[in-house]
């Protein structure tokens, strides 16, 4: 697959492990050439590659924002770590491969996880309430050649609403969509950097 653009100032952006389309659409709205990639189909219409993101890393992107699965990495599930040593090792290799991708600017996002102890500490931890959503969900960012995100709209409300979502087959999906305010901040603050 070739990635082409007519407008030279546009950035070519890969949003790895995204089915919601939220970060992709925030960059598209600013006129950039953004594409999401996930093993799942995209929930909203837009440029999307359904498949393994590892096949796309060498395609000349200016920026990658990656949301790798946290299932075997998040410390909230640490009581299960002893039963999934192999899965965790594979998940860490996936994260390290994304971090090492030949792309000039990279942001990798995950909750509080063993990435911090096994690979390196995050550059920043953000909360949805810093970006217009009155909820708590500590989100770590590992950054390469990117500035830390500046909060855009600090609001009240400090409830961990995601943890009270009803059980069901879509619970994990509803918990893991990137907050729109965070997606908008990424697009606004990580576009056209010098
Ligand atoms: C925690 S979710 C991230 C969701 C994201 N924040 C969003 O708003 O869509 C992790 C996603 O990684 C995807 N994934 C796992 N391995 C992948 C791979 N090798 N290539 C592409 N996507 C992958 C999963 O299908 C899952 O949807």
């Amino acid at each position: 697959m070739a990635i082409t653009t007519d407008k030279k100032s546009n950035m070519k952006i890969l949003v790895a492990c995204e089915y919601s389309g939220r970060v992709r659409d925030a960059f598209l709205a600013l006129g950039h050439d953004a594409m999401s990639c996930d093993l799942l189909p995209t929930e909203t219409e837009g440029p999307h590659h359904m498949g393994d993101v590892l096949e796309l890393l060498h395609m000349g992107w200016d920026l990658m924002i990656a949301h790798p699965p946290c299932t075997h990495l998040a410390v909230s599930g640490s009581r299960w770590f002893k039963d999934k040593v192999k899965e965790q090792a594979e998940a860490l290799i996936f994260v390290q491969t994304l971090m090492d991708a030949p792309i000039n600017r990279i942001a990798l996002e995950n909750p509080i996880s063993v990435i911090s102890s096994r690979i390196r500490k995050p550059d920043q931890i953000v909360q949805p309430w810093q970006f217009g959503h009155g909820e708590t969900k500590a989100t770590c960012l590992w950054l390469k050649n990117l500035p830390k995100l500046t909060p855009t709209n600090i609001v009240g409300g400090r409830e961990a609403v995601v943890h009270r979502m009803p059980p069901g087959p879509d619970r994990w999906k509803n918990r893991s969509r990137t907050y729109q305010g965070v997606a908008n901040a990424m697009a606004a603050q990580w576009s056209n950097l010098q």
Side-chain angles (χ1 to χ4, degrees):
M1 187 195 328
I3 306 160
T4 56
T5 174
D6 295 333
K7 291 169 251 173
K8 293 276 183 274
S9 59
N10 280 8
M11 293 170 70
K12 289 188 287 230
I13 298 153
L14 174 62
V15 187
C17 306
E18 178 177 84
Y19 57 83
S20 71
R22 287 185 176 174
V23 175
R24 177 200 67 205
D25 290 348
F27 278 96
L28 287 172
L30 296 183
H32 295 289
D33 293 328
M35 186 174 91
S36 51
C37 173
D38 200 291
L39 300 175
L40 302 173
T42 183
E43 287 183 331
T44 54
E45 211 171 305
H48 183 76
H49 177 77
M50 195 171 118
D52 187 349
V53 73
L54 299 182
E55 295 168 2
L56 306 184
L57 299 182
H58 295 76
M59 296 179 66
W61 307 98
D62 298 309
L63 165 66
M64 174 173 72
I65 297 171
H67 310 276
C70 61
T71 316
H72 306 305
L73 302 175
V75 296
S76 55
S78 59
R79 63 188 179 285
W80 309 114
F81 284 173
K82 64 179 181 349
D83 301 323
K84 49 186 189 184
V85 172
K86 181 168 173 281
E87 290 88 343
Q88 185 173 90
E90 288 170 357
L92 283 164
I93 289 170
F94 185 57
V95 166
Q96 185 74 69
T97 304
L98 293 172
M99 285 179 168
D100 292 344
I103 299 172
N104 184 34
R105 301 182 194 276
I106 297 175
L108 187 137
E109 170 267 316
N110 230 232
I112 307 281
S113 77
V114 296
I115 297 174
S116 302
S117 53
R118 301 285 299 278
I119 296 181
R120 69 174 177 86
K121 290 197 188 314
D123 297 291
Q124 181 178 19
I125 300 178
V126 296
Q127 288 281 354
W129 54 261
Q130 297 175 307
F131 299 89
H133 306 270
E135 300 177 18
T136 59
K137 185 184 181 190
T139 300
C140 301
L141 296 173
W142 287 263
L143 304 173
K144 174 187 171 189
N145 290 332
L146 286 169
K148 292 177 185 173
L149 282 184
T150 302
T152 52
N153 181 17
I154 294 178
V155 295
R158 297 289 187 269
E159 286 186 282
V161 177
V162 284
H163 299 307
R164 291 194 279 107
M165 284 178 173
D170 285 338
R171 186 171 190 271
W172 76 269
K173 269 188 148 183
N174 295 332
R175 285 181 60 165
S176 60
R177 282 186 198 92
T178 305
Y179 284 84
Q180 192 63 57
V182 175
N184 293 346
M186 288 174 168
Q189 298 177 32
W190 292 344
S191 282
N192 299 323
L193 295 164
Q194 295 304 310

